[in-house]
Amino acid sequence: MNWQHQPRQSLGFFPTPVHPLSNLSAHLAGPQIYIKRDDLSGLALGGNKVRKLEFLLGDAMQQKADCIITAGAAQSNHCRQTAAAAAKLNLPCYLLLGGSAPTLAQGNVLLDKLFGATIIWAGQQRKGEGIEELAQQLMQKGMKPYVVPYGGSDAIGCLGFTAALHELQQQIDELDEIVFASSSGATHAGLMLAKAELGLDVNLRGINIDKLNHGQQSFNQTIADLANSAAKQFALDKSFTTNEVCLDDNYLGEGYGIIGDAEREAIMLLAETEGILLDPVYTAKAMAGLIARVRQGAYRSDQNVLFWHTGGTPALFAYADDLLS
């Protein structure tokens, strides 16, 4: 692949740490569990989206964009990190957020405001349905916006996790499985690209966190399409099928952004055994899936499993009532 030649804007602190979760592993009496700490990636209290943004905003700077647009749910980690990256680059940022303005700004909404983003509340639309209309409005004002897609998930955004798996390979080898939250698709697709490029023998298990990913086109197909689009654009001689997408739908729980017993237990257990915080929307659901799989006997005791912590911790503060009820 020729992804190394793609414009890239330095935004995060890499490599992020990898270390064993010895207490959690002992508590669960299963495989050795490791964690990749993208919650410590540096930008705006950390998170995995900075990896995608390094390439996306590198492209924006090359195109001489003068403002940034993106979208997501009210407590979007992606939007929070995009707002911070835009502030770092001295670019105005426009966020289309699902829902309506809260009485009290908490969690990521508070941080969006601190980073100076202009927030446009979009009601039921939380996946960027109005992005193109907003871009047209800004262009009519003589501006040159760069649209960062929902979740940073396009061919360029995939490169963030292509680079990430290269980074991980330098830190740890002999992994049997990598478990992570799979939402907008580019994290999953980027890991698939790097696995193919490097010829690695490791299973990539994405834990699906959003029932709305079950649309007219399967989410597996969306991920495969993203991987194929990036492979074509960046000269990887590989074609991906849906059969190569390991997407686990067994832990969707009550739906996107809803904390159930499994997510609550995952947050409490990792906090109490390792002093590490998960977020209520993504990593809690992914960790709940990993915990359930260990208890179901899905792994041997001699296997090594890595949990990729994709960040999102600021959203915890907006879920206090759900966590402590």
Side-chain angles (χ1 to χ4, degrees):
M1 291 180 70
N2 59 12
W3 62 269
Q4 294 93 339
H5 304 296
Q6 179 70 18
R8 186 173 183 178
Q9 181 70 46
S10 178
L11 296 169
F13 300 154
F14 301 115
T16 56
V18 172
H19 60 85
L21 296 177
S22 301
N23 294 335
L24 180 65
S25 300
H27 178 86
L28 294 174
Q32 175 61 63
I33 303 172
Y34 294 85
I35 190 168
K36 174 71 166 160
R37 299 293 301 276
D38 274 10
D39 58 317
L40 302 178
S41 63
L43 181 70
L45 299 181
N48 69 316
K49 298 300 184 180
V50 64
R51 294 187 181 276
K52 303 176 186 182
L53 289 166
E54 288 204 334
F55 289 95
L56 288 161
L57 295 196
D59 187 48
M61 299 300 285
Q62 185 181 63
Q63 295 187 26
K64 302 188 184 306
D66 60 12
C67 62
I68 303 297
I69 303 172
T70 198
Q75 285 295 330
S76 168
N77 302 306
H78 163 69
C79 288
R80 179 243 311 165
Q81 289 206 290
T82 302
K88 184 177 177 66
L89 298 178
N90 198 30
L91 293 172
C93 182
Y94 296 84
L95 303 178
L96 278 168
L97 299 183
S100 55
T103 303
L104 177 64
Q106 294 180 306
N108 284 321
V109 176
L110 171 62
L111 299 184
D112 295 338
K113 290 178 176 291
L114 291 179
F115 295 132
T118 297
I119 299 176
I120 300 161
W121 293 97
Q124 295 298 314
Q125 299 179 334
R126 64 171 172 85
K127 292 197 173 189
E129 293 88 344
I131 278 183
E132 293 305 323
E133 181 181 350
L134 176 58
Q136 289 295 326
Q137 293 172 2
L138 294 176
M139 286 188 284
Q140 289 171 5
K141 296 178 180 180
M143 302 175 73
K144 189 176 181 181
Y146 183 90
V147 174
V148 174
Y150 172 74
S153 290
D154 63 7
I156 293 175
C158 287
L159 299 184
F161 269 79
T162 300
L165 193 55
H166 279 257
E167 175 183 300
L168 179 65
Q169 190 194 29
Q170 301 303 311
Q171 297 175 298
I172 187 172
D173 54 14
E174 297 183 2
L175 288 175
D176 296 287
E177 184 161 275
I178 298 172
V179 177
F180 54 94
S182 192
S183 177
S184 60
T187 294
H188 204 146
L191 291 172
M192 290 171 61
L193 289 165
K195 175 183 172 180
E197 181 188 13
L198 295 167
L200 299 181
D201 182 21
V202 60
N203 189 49
L204 304 173
R205 180 173 299 275
I207 304 294
N208 193 1
I209 58 88
D210 192 350
K211 291 180 179 180
L212 291 183
N213 283 331
H214 293 260
Q216 291 184 340
Q217 174 175 281
S218 73
F219 190 36
N220 299 63
Q221 187 64 60
T222 298
I223 294 168
D225 288 349
L226 269 171
N228 284 325
S229 175
K232 181 177 180 181
Q233 186 166 336
F234 301 108
L236 175 65
D237 185 19
K238 166 69 176 174
S239 179
F240 298 91
T241 68
T242 56
N243 292 333
E244 296 173 85
V245 179
C246 180
L247 181 69
D248 198 329
D249 288 334
N250 292 314
Y251 310 103
L252 286 163
E254 297 178 46
Y256 180 88
I258 300 175
I259 294 181
D261 291 341
E263 292 86 2
R264 189 178 295 107
E265 185 205 14
I267 291 171
M268 297 295 190
L269 186 57
L270 193 64
E272 292 172 358
T273 60
E274 299 286 354
I276 297 173
L277 298 173
L278 298 171
D279 88 287
V281 180
Y282 301 95
T283 52
K285 202 173 289 291
M287 178 58 80
L290 174 56
I291 291 169
R293 284 179 53 75
V294 173
R295 288 172 173 165
Q296 292 159 7
Y299 307 107
R300 301 189 311 271
S301 61
D302 63 343
Q303 287 187 299
N304 296 318
V305 178
L306 181 131
F307 179 79
W308 205 305
H309 192 325
T310 50
T313 309
L316 272 175
F317 300 101
Y319 280 79
D321 290 342
D322 297 305
L323 286 168
L324 301 177
S325 60

